[in-house]
Amino acid sequence: MKTFYVTTPIYYFNGEPHLGHTYCTVASDALARYKKQRGYDVKFLTGADEHGQKVERAAAEAGVSPQQWCDDLAVKYKAAWQMLDIEYDYFQRTTNPAHMAAVQKIFKKLYDQGDIYKGSYEGLYCTPCETFYTESQLKDADGKVNLVCTAEGCGRPVERISEECYFFRLGKYQAQLEAHIEANPDFISPPSRRNEMINNFLKPGLTDLCVSRTSFKWGVPVDFDPGHVMYVWVDALPNYATALGFMSDDDSDYKKYWPADVHVVGKEITRFHTIIWPCILLALGEPLPKMIFGHGFLQIEGKKLGKSLGNAIAPAPYVEEFGVEALRYYLLREFAFGPDGNLTHDGIINRYNADLANDLGNLLSRTVGMVEKYFGGELPDISAPSPYDADLTALAAAMVPKVEAHYDKLQFSDALNEAWNLVRRANKYIDENAPWAMAKTIDADPTKRAELANVLYHLAEVLRIMAIVSAPVLTRTPDVIRAQLGITDAALATWESAKDFGALPRGVKVEKGLAAFPRVEKAAEVKG
Ligand code: ME8
């Protein structure tokens, strides 16, 4: 069986999960579900990045030990992912002793082979912000160096300091990495990110990277040099491999699933994943991930996600108001995956009412309602074609391969739009056939009875197919659709069966249930 390994970033445990994390995790989950539907043996990893100064400081502010702080947050993250129907296979934590032992082995191996060496880091340092600058980073437009911190709202003087640290020979692997990027066009995706990485980081040239710190304690110790802890990225990036048992006694999963098929990451950390992580892997002689996909950033009502937005950035109020499927659908349908997007409350309502309530929800309730009303809940096993059948079935047949191509490229919005074209076409097919007019004479006219059964059968088939192709994103409604259409045969729910219009046996028996996606009105506000 073919394997598929997809990862989200491991999130910094300096705060609670927010909509930015949700976006990345929902997209990765949709991809994992899709690949499972396509028959892959999927491994889907998410987790927690628990070391570093930000975490140490957040724990201190809360008055608890860093480990306690992380343990508490792990519970909250797992609860959030459960609320969002995220079906991860493994939740990696960088405080996991097996992970820590493995990264210590990686660090030692790189040191022993001369790829990590001890030196000292000289730079301009802002103590309150704990940020290093090079002189060129502090140059103004006229080329004058201003010795002040450029962090938003800071502006305090920086000091020239030097700190002993270990360096990784990043520069040594530049040519090899460039050749790999050249030979593998999808390695950095989408293409806009690839160009960004090449122009902003590779063209100016890679310099060696400081990979240890002595200024804080909450990290993986460099075991052969007490006082040094690993710089957080060197601890964090290998999580994708250590989660599979890399550098442990049992690396069978690593052998099975590595290299990763895709690391899904946000644009601000694409550089770490497309440059530092591959160079570490090259130094270790390990294969590189097949794709790193750098997605865009979400804003909320036109504002950057930040603490000032308070509860508006937590996923829970949106799930409470619209339901988990609506939030997942909105995030993946509304924004192309790649560029930035702006989430708005009105936007969710519009998208929900148009696509979920009106298009899909109505198609289900109308179809089931008509089978009940005109045929007492069970379609007769008769059929007379309608002139509109061919167009509908041709559209359905053409849709599935297009949806596949879009999901395969992580273009969720295009995949959903393509799938919803079929729902919209089916709603038009109802108007074209005017089943209510056919229904008037079905008792007296067997042809009309057969025509009406045919129309309703086609609608049921569209719904069966929609239940399959929407399932990466809609985690519950596909089962609701199948239950209402009386579909119990698992063979009618497989991805391949979506390509087989007509697989549903005639004589559909329906069972009306609750309306999927009742309309919501604009007056509603997110409860805060
Ligand atoms: O960077 N819109 O963790 P992190 C969309 N620990 N996505 C957003 C977002 C926004 N406004 N804000 C954050 C880290 N994200 C490291 C990763 S991996 C080895 C280590 C998402 O908690 C985005 O996907 O700061 C980004 O990649 C991730 O959250 C950063 O999460």
Side-chain angles (χ1 to χ4, degrees), residues 429-508:
Y429 173 89
I430 299 181
D431 296 340
E432 289 165 341
N433 284 293
W436 46 87
M438 293 173 178
K440 286 189 185 141
T441 54
I442 53 170
D443 290 337
D445 181 350
T447 310
K448 281 284 166 241
R449 190 172 155 80
E451 279 176 10
L452 181 57
N454 174 71
V455 168
L456 296 180
Y457 172 81
H458 276 75
L459 299 178
E461 259 305 53
V462 165
L463 285 161
R464 180 184 71 83
I465 292 168
M466 284 306 297
I468 297 167
V469 297
S470 66
V473 180
L474 301 183
T475 49
R476 301 174 183 201
T477 298
D479 282 340
V480 171
I481 292 174
R482 283 188 282 266
Q484 295 200 19
L485 295 177
I487 299 172
T488 50
D489 182 356
L492 296 171
T494 64
W495 187 274
E496 284 309 306
S497 79
K499 295 173 184 164
D500 189 6
F501 200 108
L504 183 67
R506 305 263 160 182
V508 175

Side-chain angles (χ1 to χ4, degrees), residues 391-441:
D391 194 34
L392 181 73
T393 53
L395 189 96
M399 175 272 281
V400 182
K402 287 188 205 160
V403 167
E404 287 174 0
H406 292 312
Y407 276 137
D408 280 329
K409 290 199 175 97
L410 285 79
Q411 291 310 306
F412 305 103
S413 182
D414 290 339
L416 294 169
N417 186 35
E418 205 53 71
W420 254 254
N421 279 339
L422 178 63
V423 184
R424 288 184 283 264
R425 183 67 190 81
N427 281 319
K428 188 171 158 212
Y429 173 89
I430 299 181
D431 296 340
E432 289 165 341
N433 284 293
W436 46 87
M438 293 173 178
K440 286 189 185 141
T441 54

Side-chain angles (χ1 to χ4, degrees), residues 10-12 18 20-21 24 49 233 240 266 268-269 295 297-298:
I10 46 170
Y11 299 110
Y12 277 134
H18 58 60
H21 306 134
C24 192
D49 188 357
W233 284 101
Y240 303 124
E268 90 288 21
I269 61 171
H295 65 74
F297 258 35
L298 281 186

Side-chain angles (χ1 to χ4, degrees), residues 8-16 18-25 47-51 54 77 94 232-233 235-240 264-270 272-273 277 295-300 303-306 337 340-341:
T8 74
I10 46 170
Y11 299 110
Y12 277 134
F13 264 16
N14 57 342
E16 301 205 4
H18 58 60
L19 282 168
H21 306 134
T22 303
Y23 186 48
C24 192
T25 312
D49 188 357
E50 301 177 283
H51 290 127
K54 285 187 199 168
Y77 268 79
T94 54
V232 67
W233 284 101
D235 164 11
L237 289 163
N239 95 86
Y240 303 124
V264 180
V265 300
K267 63 178 182 180
E268 90 288 21
I269 61 171
T270 304
F272 299 99
H273 285 80
W277 177 223
H295 65 74
F297 258 35
L298 281 186
Q299 296 199 332
I300 310 291
K303 295 195 195 86
K304 261 171 85 170
L305 244 78
F337 202 57
D340 292 345

